[in-house]
Amino acid sequence: MSKINDDDLDEKPLDPEMEKVRRKMVRLLAVSIGIMFIGLMTVLGALVYKFTRSDDPAAGAAQIAGSSVTVPSDAPIEGVAALPAGFAVESVTLDGPRIGFFGRASDGSMRLIIHDITVGRIVSDIVVINR
């Protein structure tokens, strides 16, 4: 069927222009591999750092996620969220040190009141309306 010529198996020298292109491609490949290696080492270094560092901020205290409030191990944090008179709570959400109270005010309007534990007071009072 097909006969393999010995001439096809021998590599012929490239012309000078193609040799320049080949050298540029080899150089680009080496630079790309170097950059990928540096990136991989950076990621592995970050993982090792993350898993080997100590997460204990203070002995006997826990930290609330996303805040600088430490909770003593022998007693809970105590506080008062003073909601407006006549406010009926329908749902409560927690996001780190912030507590969101959603409900109806005494005038019937829907409101979202956000209490921040770190500062110990209400930081937002949002009236919710439909448009």
Side-chain angles (χ1 to χ4, degrees):
M1 295 216 143
S2 65
K3 185 176 177 183
I4 301 175
N5 292 336
D6 287 336
D7 290 340
D8 293 340
L9 296 176
D10 294 335
E11 286 190 27
K12 298 173 185 163
L14 296 173
D15 63 334
E17 290 298 318
M18 287 304 292
E19 184 64 25
K20 286 181 185 177
V21 170
R22 188 190 69 80
R23 284 184 184 166
K24 284 183 181 179
M25 294 299 287
V26 169
R27 194 175 326 132
L28 178 64
L29 178 67
V31 169
S32 297
I33 289 173
I35 290 172
M36 290 296 287
F37 182 73
I38 290 171
L40 179 66
M41 289 298 113
T42 303
V43 168
L44 290 176
L47 287 173
V48 168
Y49 171 76
K50 181 73 174 172
F51 286 116
T52 58
R53 74 169 221 239
S54 176
D55 286 336
D56 189 18
Q63 190 168 18
I64 295 175
S67 73
S68 61
V69 175
T70 56
V71 180
S73 61
D74 59 344
I77 292 177
E78 294 181 6
V80 175
L83 299 174
F87 184 78
V89 176
E90 293 181 5
S91 67
V92 178
T93 59
L94 179 66
D95 180 25
R98 293 191 176 114
I99 304 170
F101 299 97
F102 185 75
R104 290 197 180 274
S106 59
D107 62 358
S109 63
M110 300 293 293
R111 294 169 78 178
L112 173 65
I113 298 174
I114 300 174
H115 182 290
D116 194 332
I117 296 172
T118 56
V119 294
R121 63 180 178 84
I122 293 177
V123 293
S124 293
D125 187 356
I126 302 166
V127 177
V128 180
I129 59 173
N130 290 330
R131 290 196 179 203

